[in-house]
Amino acid sequence: MRRFYKNFWIIIALVVTLYLSSCATQQEILKNVEVIDGDTVKVYGQSYRLIGIDTPEIHSGDKPAGEYGIDAKNYLIWFANNFELTYEQKGTDNYGRKLVYLFGIDGKNKYLYEASVTEQGYARPLIYESTAVPMYTNQIVAAYNRAYQNRKGIFSKYDEAPIITKSNLSSSYIGKIVWLEMDVSNVRYSNYTYYIESDFALVKVRYEEYKYLFNGYNLYGLKGRKVRFYGELWYDNYEKKYMIMLRAPFEIRIVS
């Protein structure tokens, strides 16, 4: 009987080991990489979406073309040309793209692209719990803070970006980095997103970015205040309002 239980637990251990091996992240070398934009590449027709970040668009579509979209693409081209590329896959999306963290290898050094491009100020954190790896997420968040502190990329305009209000707002600012000033009429939370509202504009904060970057900042305390929000201006076709997706508390300035 003891021998039976011993063999039983050996079999269980082997099954668990095989299961965990099948769930391990993939790590392969990428060659002949075609850079699509700052967070997407193709290899022999297969698309790879680089996760943990969001870079500005280079073509208008569901999102507007952003000011730093070409900079982000050029940085990824530079990264691909200067390092051997490898990746860790965390599934696929509805478009059949592989969801991956991208790394550059230079001898014994290994660099996380998502943190590198974010530190240049060409990307913002975009975190999904289903694909997040705490070590990588923490690197991306730290890089975003350094981009702000060093006024890199999108933050190079932090002290001089135009202040947009209801009176001077126009569609020509869509895709531009601005300070959006509004009287906050309401703050609500729905579908894992905070909505900071005014009569003409909307600011959103996704729960994952709030969790990792805001350190408990009281967004509800903005209600009834005149506030400026920093970021890339979009237009929300569903809400019929101009919008900014906020990523960090240093993108908030209380005016009164």
Side-chain angles (χ1 to χ4, degrees):
M1 183 63 70
R2 289 182 178 177
R3 185 175 182 181
F4 169 79
Y5 280 113
K6 181 179 180 181
N7 291 336
F8 174 79
W9 288 113
I10 290 174
I11 292 170
I12 292 296
L14 287 172
V15 170
V16 170
T17 300
L18 289 172
Y19 174 77
L20 292 175
S21 297
S22 69
C23 294
T25 54
Q26 296 181 15
Q27 197 166 56
E28 302 176 12
I29 300 299
L30 288 177
K31 295 182 180 296
N32 299 310
V33 172
E34 176 189 0
V35 175
I36 305 302
D37 56 28
D39 55 30
T40 312
V41 300
K42 281 186 178 181
V43 180
Y44 298 117
Q46 172 64 57
S47 291
Y48 295 73
R49 173 61 165 89
L50 313 184
I51 54 178
I53 60 169
D54 187 32
T55 61
E57 301 296 321
I58 58 175
H59 302 292
S60 295
D62 293 338
K63 301 176 184 177
E67 284 188 76
Y68 292 89
I70 297 299
D71 298 271
K73 179 179 179 178
N74 288 339
Y75 187 78
L76 181 48
I77 292 171
W78 173 87
F79 194 89
N81 287 336
N82 283 273
F83 300 101
E84 183 177 58
L85 300 182
T86 185
Y87 70 93
E88 292 185 15
Q89 185 174 349
K90 294 297 180 182
T92 58
D93 66 11
N94 294 331
Y95 303 100
R97 299 180 299 181
K98 292 185 177 183
L99 303 175
V100 305
Y101 290 99
L102 184 69
F103 300 89
I105 298 175
D106 179 15
K108 295 182 179 180
N109 299 315
K110 186 176 181 181
Y111 305 98
L112 176 63
Y113 167 76
E114 284 88 340
S116 184
V117 69
T118 301
E119 186 159 359
Q120 296 302 313
Y122 300 145
R124 291 184 171 91
L126 181 62
I127 303 162
Y128 288 93
E129 294 289 0
S130 58
T131 58
V133 175
M135 179 172 65
Y136 303 155
T137 300
N138 289 337
Q139 290 181 42
I140 293 167
V141 168
Y144 196 58
N145 281 287
R146 288 193 295 273
Y148 161 68
Q149 292 163 1
N150 296 322
R151 299 295 194 266
K152 300 294 287 293
I154 58 176
F155 294 110
S156 64
K157 300 181 65 176
Y158 190 82
D159 299 310
E160 58 186 36
I163 299 170
I164 307 304
T165 66
K166 185 177 181 179
S167 63
N168 68 350
L169 185 58
S170 76
S171 60
S172 63
Y173 288 109
I174 291 178
K176 305 298 184 183
I177 301 295
V178 303
W179 282 102
L180 176 63
E181 181 177 295
M182 64 190 205
D183 296 314
V184 178
S185 59
N186 191 35
V187 180
R188 59 185 174 90
Y189 182 76
S190 175
N191 295 323
Y192 301 100
T193 303
Y194 291 93
Y195 294 81
I196 305 168
E197 300 173 318
S198 75
D199 60 338
F200 74 99
L202 173 68
V203 173
K204 295 182 183 179
V205 182
R206 298 176 64 253
Y207 169 75
E208 287 93 339
E209 280 83 67
Y210 181 84
K211 175 182 176 181
Y212 283 95
L213 287 110
F214 276 78
N215 299 313
Y217 187 101
N218 180 19
L219 294 173
Y220 292 103
L222 299 177
K223 183 177 179 179
R225 313 290 295 271
K226 184 183 294 293
V227 186
R228 291 175 185 168
F229 302 95
Y230 187 76
E232 186 179 275
L233 190 68
W234 298 356
Y235 187 78
D236 189 314
N237 288 308
Y238 179 77
E239 298 282 349
K240 305 299 181 185
K241 290 183 176 181
Y242 289 91
M243 182 189 76
I244 281 180
M245 291 289 294
L246 216 62
R247 312 291 176 155
F250 47 73
E251 298 167 343
I252 301 173
R253 279 183 178 172
I254 297 176
V255 179
S256 61

